[in-house]
Amino acid sequence: MLDPSYIRDHVEEVRKGLRNRGLDADKALEEIATLETARRRLIPELEALKRQQNTSGDEIARAKRQGKDTAPVQDANRLRAQQIKQLGLQVDSIEHQRHVAVVVLPNLPHASVPVGKSAEDNVEVRRHGAPREFDFTPVPHWDLGPALGIIDFERGTKMAGARFTVLSGAGARLSRALINFMLDLHTREHGYREIVPPYLANGTSLFGTGQLPKFEQDLFKIAGDWDLYLVPTAEVPLTNLHRGEILDGRELPIRFTAHTPCFRSEAGSYGQDVRGLIRQHQFDKVELVKLAAPEQSYDELETLTLNAEEVLKRLELPYRTMLLCTGDMGFSAAKTYDIEVWLPSQQTYREISSCTNTEAFQARRANIKFRAGGTGKAEFVHTLNGSGLAVGRTLIAILENYQQKDGSVTIPTALQPYMDGRTSITK
């Protein structure tokens, strides 16, 4: 969430940042600035009345000691109480209106983010590995998996509906191997603390990370009298671990990782992405989350991105890293790198991880603060998140990049210890 005071004091800068994101927010910004000005005018008046009210008891006692009539003081007291109540209601109304206007505004892009309208304006930062040259036509995973007997789309659809899938046998084992490999890498070598969070999150948690209220249609809500949603990503519970807390700045940065299933309605998705495993309603992901001091956060974004890339390096999968432009970033992002893995069947790179610094945007919504040096004034942390990696898409990349002419799939060397030494998946 943007700081309403910052909006009021830097309205042109905010307007430019939102326009660079493709959003014309002139009317909303004017409303927020007007409401914030009114709030700042009323609060000193309200506080002055409260101070007077707090001292009125002494005034009444003094009048009694002096034998004076206390009725005028008590009348003034009652009038002041009504004024306090009315002003309090006005302030509450203004703050509610301001809140409603602010929470739907996206984050402002960092100065280093290229201005652009769509994915075509993203900037390639680096790439690693060269796509394999096949001496046969590579088969897409949605044909290769069923032919090997490790992916079953039809039974997944029968049990739950479109875009749900069953992995079986070596496919299920490969998925589990990827999860364990990723968690081991991030905890043993990259310094993340492993968490097993709830797979359900309440509305307050989802507000904190920015999914609510704007993107409720993308969530699966639990039926009945519950304020609970299936988690769309482990970013939600990991970021909210310290919601409402003030941290010791000497402990920053804090690094968390978790494997969870993720659930998304994928409202509005269409076309080729809905075929196969690329865009599912349920998928597994290993998530990376950091809480950092503002002066640390952009260095931490670089290392978080490298941590996610390392998974692909160890698996020897070709990839490229893209810096997203202003028009292609997510709602909460100040800066994002997308890591894209090569898929031979599509002859293109596809996203497998987004690594983002939200600066104080999520922390302000979730009220996560820290005190530098452990003492002094509390300020908002910066929160970062990234996939390390999306398990299903990594499985896709392995099947397609490691497929052989006879229909078998070679298991990457780094995963073989997690597959009991198995070197290939055969029909």
Side-chain angles (χ1 to χ4, degrees):
M1 185 169 67
L2 299 178
D3 183 352
S5 299
Y6 189 88
I7 294 174
R8 187 202 63 218
D9 297 336
H10 303 85
V11 67
E12 290 305 320
E13 178 187 336
V14 175
R15 180 180 286 113
K16 180 181 178 182
L18 294 177
R19 281 181 175 171
N20 286 341
R21 294 196 61 146
L23 181 65
D24 183 357
D26 289 1
K27 187 175 180 180
L29 293 179
E30 288 174 11
E31 178 187 3
I32 292 166
T34 300
L35 290 168
E36 179 64 11
T37 300
R39 175 181 171 275
R40 288 211 169 188
R41 176 179 56 81
L42 289 174
I43 284 179
E45 184 180 348
L46 177 60
E47 290 176 345
L49 287 171
K50 287 180 177 179
R51 284 194 298 271
Q52 292 173 26
Q53 196 75 336
N54 289 337
T55 60
S56 63
D58 293 338
E59 191 176 350
I60 292 172
R62 188 165 49 250
K64 285 183 176 179
R65 284 196 302 270
Q66 296 172 356
K68 294 181 180 179
D69 184 7
T70 61
V73 179
Q74 291 174 329
D75 289 342
N77 227 14
R78 282 191 290 271
L79 178 60
R80 195 160 45 237
Q82 291 177 354
Q83 290 175 312
I84 289 171
K85 183 178 180 180
Q86 291 170 354
L87 277 178
L89 290 172
Q90 287 183 53
V91 170
D92 289 346
S93 175
I94 287 170
E95 289 182 341
H96 175 72
Q97 293 174 64
R98 184 192 62 170
H99 177 80
V100 169
V102 170
V103 296
V104 297
L105 295 178
N107 204 355
L108 299 178
H110 187 261
S112 62
V113 174
V115 176
K117 295 181 179 179
S118 68
E120 294 183 358
D121 300 313
N122 296 340
V123 176
E124 183 174 321
V125 176
R126 55 185 169 266
R127 65 173 63 193
H128 179 85
R132 173 184 165 192
E133 293 186 7
F134 291 83
D135 58 2
F136 62 95
T137 302
V139 179
H141 73 278
W142 54 75
D143 291 330
L144 185 61
L148 288 168
I150 63 174
I151 301 177
D152 193 327
F153 297 110
E154 287 75 17
R155 287 186 173 89
T157 300
K158 177 176 70 175
M159 286 187 285
R163 286 191 271 172
F164 288 93
T165 303
V166 173
L167 297 178
S168 65
R173 183 62 183 271
L174 180 59
S175 178
R176 178 158 54 95
L178 282 167
I179 293 165
N180 290 334
F181 165 68
M182 293 175 189
L183 288 173
D184 283 350
L185 176 63
H186 297 316
T187 56
R188 294 175 181 175
E189 299 189 34
H190 296 156
Y192 293 82
R193 180 181 180 84
E194 185 176 355
I195 302 294
V196 178
Y199 299 162
L200 296 168
N202 56 32
T204 304
S205 296
L206 287 151
F207 174 82
T209 44
Q211 281 81 12
L212 290 178
K214 194 173 178 66
F215 303 103
E216 186 167 11
Q217 75 276 7
D218 292 325
L219 303 171
F220 286 108
K221 187 171 186 180
I222 301 302
D225 192 22
W226 296 89
D227 176 33
L228 288 173
Y229 300 77
L230 294 171
V231 293
T233 164
E235 169 198 341
V236 176
L238 292 181
T239 303
N240 280 276
L241 275 171
H242 290 294
R243 186 180 78 231
E245 296 180 21
I246 299 177
L247 306 173
D248 186 336
R250 293 169 295 185
E251 297 177 356
L252 300 178
I254 296 171
R255 304 178 179 97
F256 295 128
T257 186
H259 155 253
T260 66
C262 306
F263 304 89
R264 300 181 188 177
S265 72
E266 298 290 357
S269 62
Y270 61 94
Q272 192 175 29
D273 278 1
V274 303
R275 190 173 185 187
L277 293 175
I278 291 178
R279 197 171 295 276
Q280 296 274 283
H281 292 312
Q282 175 187 320
F283 58 95
D284 287 289
K285 184 153 66 77
V286 171
E287 186 74 3
L288 307 174
V289 163
K290 295 184 179 183
L291 307 180
E295 66 272 14
Q296 301 170 326
S297 69
Y298 278 97
D299 287 339
E300 290 299 324
L301 175 62
E302 297 300 322
T303 58
L304 186 149
T305 306
L306 292 174
N307 295 158
E309 289 179 17
E310 187 63 24
V311 177
L312 295 174
K313 286 182 179 178
R314 301 281 178 102
L315 297 175
E316 300 180 80
L317 291 168
Y319 70 87
R320 67 180 184 181
T321 301
M322 307 292 290
L323 174 59
L324 299 195
C325 71
T326 53
D328 199 33
M329 291 195 305
F331 177 77
S332 298
K335 184 174 183 177
T336 296
Y337 292 108
D338 266 10
I339 304 170
E340 300 176 344
V341 69
W342 177 257
L343 294 185
S345 68
Q346 298 181 24
Q347 289 291 293
T348 192
Y349 291 93
R350 299 303 304 267
E351 179 205 334
I352 198 167
S353 173
S354 284
C355 300
T356 295
N357 187 355
T358 77
E359 296 186 356
F361 189 84
Q362 290 180 330
R364 187 171 286 109
R365 299 170 76 101
N367 193 27
I368 310 170
K369 296 183 176 181
F370 76 102
R371 287 192 175 97
T375 59
K377 182 181 178 181
E379 58 180 302
F380 290 110
V381 301
H382 282 193
T383 66
L384 302 92
N385 63 80
S387 303
L389 302 165
V391 177
R393 293 192 181 191
T394 310
L395 187 146
I396 290 170
I398 289 171
L399 293 182
E400 294 201 359
N401 283 280
Y402 280 89
Q403 63 182 291
Q404 305 302 312
K405 194 171 185 176
D406 63 1
S408 66
V409 173
T410 301
I411 296 170
T413 303
L415 284 184
Q416 290 175 15
Y418 294 88
M419 298 283 290
D420 289 336
R422 187 171 180 173
T423 60
S424 66
I425 299 173
T426 57
K427 192 170 183 179

